Amino acid sequence: MSDVRAAELALHQRTGLACAAAAAAGVPGRFRVWEHEGLLAVLATDPALAFLSTVSGVAPETRPAVPGLLDAPEWDGVRPTVLTTDVDAPPAAGLVRAGERVLAVHRLGERPEPSAEVVDASGGFVDVLLAGYETSGVVAEFVAAEHRLPQVRRFLVVEDGTPIAAAAMTVHGEVAVLGGASTLPAHRGRGAQPRLLRHRLRVAADAGCVLAVATARAGSVSAANLGRAGFRCYRRSAWVRQCGPDRR
């Protein structure tokens, strides 16, 4: 299995956990996470969570199944974003480019030195994470539900007794998914996230993982931090169906 395929499968499993937690917590909308002929599909019907509705796992062997999946009744009017890795051609007819995301993958080897300022979080993690995201409403409800799961490892950077940044991790077989990272606005630009990255890579290696994966916005500080930490950053082209009289 390629590193990209292993990374996408682990991200899909992490999203499945998050959506199940959100549904159990009463977050608005309907959630579904499933596989279709090798493709990986996620549905979230609340408009605030539209970024979750995706189709990934597109490869030469799964590409023929894309049109059928996009026409599946499960979407119920939702237009998912199809994500392709390092591919500039649309994966199916009628799709147009809708930006770019980053899939970052790191083969674990030498263990980075742990940071004394990074601690396992027992309480207060979600408050710091949401304050760093500067989000509220349905998105905040979803993030909070996801990061209260017992499968999620939670870490805080603490300076002078004050938590200033948060980041999370889950383990899926031999793959660690690094997600849920933010820094309080007043403390940005001081290296908190690179410290959290190095620390989680050490924890992942100690847990027996051989691969770490993360996602980021193209051109963001997070993407730059991942590159400096030794991740290989793949371009993920985003594709959506054109709106038209025959499209919902």
Side-chain angles (χ1 to χ4, degrees):
M1 183 186 299
S2 71
D3 286 354
V4 167
R5 178 65 178 177
E8 289 187 320
L9 284 171
L11 287 168
H12 192 64
Q13 292 165 2
R14 167 68 176 263
T15 304
L17 290 173
C19 288
V27 176
R30 181 168 58 86
F31 300 92
R32 187 178 178 196
V33 179
W34 76 103
E35 294 190 30
H36 173 83
E37 297 184 25
L39 296 169
L40 309 172
V42 179
L43 168 69
T45 59
D46 190 278
L49 300 174
F51 61 92
L52 290 170
S53 293
T54 55
V55 171
S56 59
V58 180
E61 62 273 18
T62 60
R63 184 186 180 106
V66 172
L69 177 56
L70 294 180
D71 287 333
E74 286 87 346
W75 298 110
D76 193 23
V78 172
R79 290 193 305 148
T81 299
V82 182
L83 301 173
T84 60
T85 304
D86 284 343
V87 174
D88 289 323
L95 296 181
V96 295
R97 190 77 170 269
E100 205 171 83
R101 305 182 189 183
V102 171
L103 174 68
V105 181
H106 184 35
R107 275 262 157 197
L108 297 174
E110 294 183 6
R111 289 167 166 77
E113 287 297 319
S115 173
E117 294 174 326
V118 178
V119 300
D120 282 12
S122 53
F125 174 89
V126 170
D127 291 338
V128 175
L129 185 67
L130 292 179
Y133 278 152
E134 298 182 276
T135 191
S136 59
V138 174
V139 174
E141 291 180 46
F142 182 89
V143 171
E146 174 186 5
H147 289 92
R148 290 188 177 115
L149 283 167
Q151 296 96 325
V152 174
R153 293 286 305 271
R154 295 168 285 268
F155 306 96
L156 291 170
V157 174
V158 178
E159 289 187 352
D160 299 325
T162 300
I164 66 165
M169 183 183 88
T170 48
V171 173
H172 308 269
E174 294 184 332
V175 183
V177 173
L178 312 186
S182 75
T183 302
L184 298 180
H187 299 276
R188 291 173 185 162
R190 290 162 48 177
Q193 287 305 323
R195 279 178 277 171
L196 283 163
L197 265 177
R198 291 193 299 271
H199 190 88
R200 287 178 292 168
L201 290 175
R202 173 62 179 259
V203 173
D206 288 345
C209 294
V210 300
L211 204 67
V213 57
T215 59
R217 292 191 307 274
S220 66
V221 173
S222 295
N225 285 337
L226 289 165
R228 284 192 289 266
F231 283 75
R232 180 175 178 180
C233 293
Y234 296 88
R235 294 182 306 113
R236 300 183 97 189
S237 296
W239 307 90
V240 296
R241 275 188 162 170
Q242 291 176 297
C243 291
D246 59 340
R247 301 290 185 199
R248 286 182 292 175

